[in-house]
Amino acid sequence: MWTRLLEVLTRTSATSDVLRPEVFLHRRRPNDVVIDVRTPEEFAQGHLEGAINLDLMAPDFHENIARLDPNRTYYLYCRSGNRSGQAARLLRERGLEAYNIGGLEELARAGASIVR
């Protein structure tokens, strides 16, 4: 039953590749990396506990993701899920296991710890 529920929750559609917040919270392991791809100013206003900030729009974004450990799992989020979707695709193109977990407020509503 739980396996079937997780399959339904993680299923993606043609319009969305977002891993539902509830699934992220269930799946996340201590060694996984959570990346906030918003600007440093947005990050300073509030972010997921333990997240690192790699601004998708920064000129060094591609250099930063080139240094990521290929043996880790990456969960990316932003304000709405748009930038994190773009960033997750870029990481996957580099062969990394990366998931778009959507927007910060939706994650907060699902019970994720936010640092403000």
Side-chain angles (χ1 to χ4, degrees):
M1 178 173 98
W2 291 111
T3 304
R4 177 72 180 128
L5 176 61
L6 280 175
E7 286 174 10
V8 170
L9 291 174
T10 59
R11 193 173 297 145
T12 59
S13 70
T15 60
S16 174
D17 68 346
V18 178
L19 184 68
R20 292 177 51 115
E22 299 83 5
V23 176
F24 159 68
L25 293 170
H26 176 75
R27 274 182 157 183
R28 184 179 181 191
R29 299 170 309 216
N31 199 39
D32 293 341
V33 179
V34 178
I35 302 174
D36 183 323
V37 298
R38 300 175 302 153
T39 66
E41 295 79 18
E42 290 173 298
F43 184 81
Q45 292 173 0
H47 57 272
L48 289 183
E49 186 173 6
I52 62 171
N53 184 219
L54 295 179
D55 180 0
L56 175 65
M57 301 304 175
D60 62 349
F61 181 78
H62 289 279
E63 293 170 28
N64 288 328
I65 65 171
R67 292 191 290 264
L68 295 175
D69 183 348
N71 298 310
R72 308 222 16 216
T73 299
Y74 297 91
Y75 293 100
L76 297 91
Y77 72 94
C78 61
R79 184 186 57 79
S80 68
N82 183 33
R83 286 176 282 179
S84 53
Q86 294 172 40
R89 280 189 293 281
L90 290 171
L91 269 66
R92 286 193 299 267
E93 287 172 4
R94 292 185 167 273
L96 301 172
E97 184 177 354
Y99 300 93
N100 176 12
I101 57 173
L104 182 62
E105 293 307 316
E106 186 177 354
L107 289 157
R109 282 192 299 274
S113 297
I114 308 294
V115 176
R116 298 209 188 258

